[in-house]
Amino acid sequence: MNRRSPAVDVALVAGFAALIAAVAILPDIKTGVGVPFSLQTFAVLLAGACLGAVRGFLAVVLYLAGGAIGLPIFSGGAAGIGHFTGPTAGYLIAFPLAAALCGFIVQRNRDRATSFSLVFTAGLLSSFLFIHTLGPLNLAWRADMSVQAAFLFDTQFYPGDVMKNVLMALVATAVHRAFPDLLPGRARDTEREPQPA
């Protein structure tokens, strides 16, 4: 049985939106491999992997809405609606879609939510399908670059992305081991209500 409270769902969505905001404003991490990277996408995919498709999507949308209205919670403490019309807008737009897909894959296989390989693959697939596609496509459009040049530019983020997905999978699987009922249940888990004595 997996009954969920709307209040708990709201708290989880808000909590993960706050987590994304918190890690996004941290200084970029230098690894010596590729360009420095932020932990923003780590938290975006973690929201999906931990909360499932819908709540993960909503957490990222809430984070983006906060940044759009002026809260300094985008990467480096930036803010404003203008970020949705600039060269990096494709990455921002891709974030909730990537969280939703990652969440869908993990939720669909919720009995294996503690499997590192499953969560890592879900995160990496979601990242490359949305973030590393919409990001460079918008970059080509807004920054007056060829599509080929934009995708080539984007490849410098690949090493960091792989490392972030390793970290995300480690954290998400630990969360699911600690809270095995965190993901929304299947219909058959929620249909059975306790009967009065």
Side-chain angles (χ1 to χ4, degrees), residues 106 109 111-121 169 173 176-177:
V106 176
N109 299 277
D111 295 336
R112 296 175 54 221
T114 57
S115 165
F116 173 87
S117 60
L118 170 70
V119 180
F120 173 76
T121 301
T173 52
H176 288 306
R177 281 192 293 271

Side-chain angles (χ1 to χ4, degrees), residues 44-45 47-49 52-54 56-57 60 94-109 118-119 121-131:
V44 163
L45 293 168
V54 174
F57 176 86
V60 181
F95 283 168
L97 301 176
L101 179 58
C102 182
F104 173 80
I105 295 171
V106 176
Q107 185 176 337
R108 183 84 173 178
N109 299 277
L118 170 70
V119 180
T121 301
L124 202 63
L125 176 64
S126 303
S127 182
F128 276 89
L129 187 60
F130 288 113
I131 298 173

Side-chain angles (χ1 to χ4, degrees), residues 16-181:
F16 271 85
L19 173 65
I20 299 168
V23 300
I25 62 177
L26 292 175
D28 288 350
I29 299 171
K30 297 178 181 179
T31 65
V33 180
V35 296
F37 65 85
S38 74
L39 289 175
Q40 190 176 30
T41 53
F42 154 77
V44 163
L45 293 168
L46 183 66
C50 289
L51 300 183
V54 174
R55 293 179 303 173
F57 176 86
L58 292 175
V60 181
V61 169
L62 180 59
Y63 159 72
L64 294 177
I69 64 173
L71 298 178
I73 55 176
F74 288 154
S75 184
I81 193 70
H83 288 274
F84 292 91
T85 60
T88 61
Y91 293 99
L92 294 177
I93 293 168
F95 283 168
L97 301 176
L101 179 58
C102 182
F104 173 80
I105 295 171
V106 176
Q107 185 176 337
R108 183 84 173 178
N109 299 277
R110 66 190 308 268
D111 295 336
R112 296 175 54 221
T114 57
S115 165
F116 173 87
S117 60
L118 170 70
V119 180
F120 173 76
T121 301
L124 202 63
L125 176 64
S126 303
S127 182
F128 276 89
L129 187 60
F130 288 113
I131 298 173
H132 293 293
T133 301
L134 298 181
L137 284 176
N138 181 77
L139 190 63
W141 176 36
R142 296 288 186 179
D144 194 26
M145 299 172 65
S146 70
V147 172
Q148 181 179 2
F151 274 91
L152 184 60
F153 174 84
D154 184 71
T155 60
Q156 67 186 316
F157 301 112
Y158 288 6
D161 200 58
V162 172
M163 287 187 280
K164 283 184 281 188
N165 274 284
V166 168
L167 179 60
M168 182 278 294
L170 289 172
V171 174
T173 52
V175 168
H176 288 306
R177 281 192 293 271
F179 304 98
D181 294 326

